[in-house]
Amino acid sequence: MGAWFTREIADTGRLRLFCFFVAFIAAFLFIRFSVRMIRKQVRWWPGNVTPGGHHVHHVVFGLVFMCVGGVGGLAVTDDSSGWAAAAAAVFGAGTALVLDEFALVLHLKDVYWTEQGRLSVEVVFVTVALCGLLLLGLRPLGADELGHRGQTEGGWNIAGVLVFDLGLAVVALLKGKTWTGLIGLFIGIVALVGAIRLARPGSPWARRRYRPGSRKERRALARERRYRRPVERLAGAVGDFVAGRPSGRD
């Protein structure tokens, strides 16, 4: 394991990303465990931080950690040092605390245990997936490979490939396929599949290009009922297990 870590993580310059990734997941799991204990009013678990009766949300602590970890990381010049790893871990923990209350920041009200609050969980899952792809050595739009090709090929050719790949991912996102579009930034074939398939009902693409009652709209609705709904139920069950049920579904 030690040899694998040195070869695949330290020697490839991914130490800080690895520390960020591990700290991010650990902090998210800890804070979700903490808020669930508080929600159940478990006596032996410390409650909310309420100095003077004012509830301080953990997004505040997350912002402090992000500032400390971010500035500390900028101050460290050796990317492979213990200080660099520690700064990345602090930044990762802070990011987890902030994104866990992403919905609160977006709506500027406490929606943590509502259906709107599930957006925070979705954002966290997306972040974990993208960081995982980066740890595997993938780069958005194949940046590393295109950089090597750019040494032998013309710059306009490389720019054309980048614009084409980015365009496919954007089309997939406009069709309401968030996961497909984001993963497509790293794996081009995924973006291509998302771009050529039917858009999800209610997506910006469907609203502009699928006339009400048209064949494409009917096919999109049928596909949504047949394929998307079971996936959403499974994703909701996983989210409930990890993060707890929203209040309306207790």
Side-chain angles (χ1 to χ4, degrees):
M1 181 62 71
W4 173 87
F5 183 86
T6 301
R7 182 179 67 254
E8 300 294 334
I9 302 299
D11 291 348
T12 57
R14 301 175 197 160
L15 177 62
R16 291 190 297 177
L17 180 60
F18 177 82
C19 293
F20 172 94
F21 184 71
V22 172
F24 182 93
I25 294 177
F28 172 70
L29 293 177
F30 170 78
I31 199 60
R32 276 289 165 170
F33 175 80
S34 176
V35 295
R36 292 175 76 172
M37 293 297 101
I38 295 172
R39 188 187 193 190
K40 293 181 179 179
Q41 298 181 345
V42 177
R43 293 183 179 180
W44 53 268
W45 188 258
N48 292 314
V49 179
T50 55
H54 179 71
H55 178 198
V56 180
H57 289 272
H58 52 264
V59 64
V60 176
F61 299 100
L63 289 172
V64 174
F65 287 170
M66 288 182 70
C67 290
V68 172
V71 174
L74 292 174
V76 177
T77 57
D78 185 0
D79 294 345
S80 60
S81 68
W83 286 109
V90 172
F91 189 80
T95 304
L97 296 180
V98 170
L99 293 186
D100 187 55
E101 293 200 310
F102 177 85
L104 180 150
V105 177
L106 178 64
H107 295 284
L108 292 180
K109 61 180 180 180
D110 193 352
V111 295
Y112 196 86
W113 290 117
T114 68
E115 289 291 345
Q116 291 175 316
R118 296 311 299 270
L119 176 62
S120 300
V121 181
E122 295 173 7
V123 170
V124 168
F125 285 175
V126 168
T127 303
V128 169
L130 296 183
C131 287
L133 291 174
L134 288 171
L135 271 177
L136 292 175
L138 299 177
R139 294 293 179 266
L141 304 176
D144 290 345
E145 180 182 352
L146 290 176
H148 293 308
R149 289 172 56 187
Q151 299 176 1
T152 57
E153 300 181 12
W156 286 109
N157 293 336
I158 302 303
V161 173
L162 288 173
V163 171
F164 179 73
D165 290 345
L166 180 61
L168 293 176
V170 170
V171 170
L173 291 171
L174 289 175
K175 287 188 171 185
K177 303 176 181 183
T178 304
W179 281 94
T180 302
L182 292 175
I183 294 177
L185 290 172
F186 296 82
I187 306 174
I189 188 63
V190 174
L192 176 62
V193 171
I196 64 178
R197 291 176 68 87
L198 283 171
R200 294 190 60 196
S203 66
W205 187 279
R207 289 197 302 267
R208 290 188 60 87
R209 301 182 66 88
Y210 297 173
R211 296 190 308 274
S214 65
R215 181 172 177 269
K216 282 189 174 182
E217 185 187 53
R218 293 195 303 270
R219 289 179 57 203
L221 289 171
R223 186 183 296 273
E224 185 81 0
R225 289 191 298 268
R226 184 173 182 179
Y227 299 109
R228 183 69 184 185
R229 299 286 170 77
V231 173
E232 288 182 341
R233 286 194 293 269
L234 176 60
V238 173
D240 289 346
F241 174 77
V242 174
R245 287 176 177 268
S247 297
R249 292 195 277 119
D250 281 340

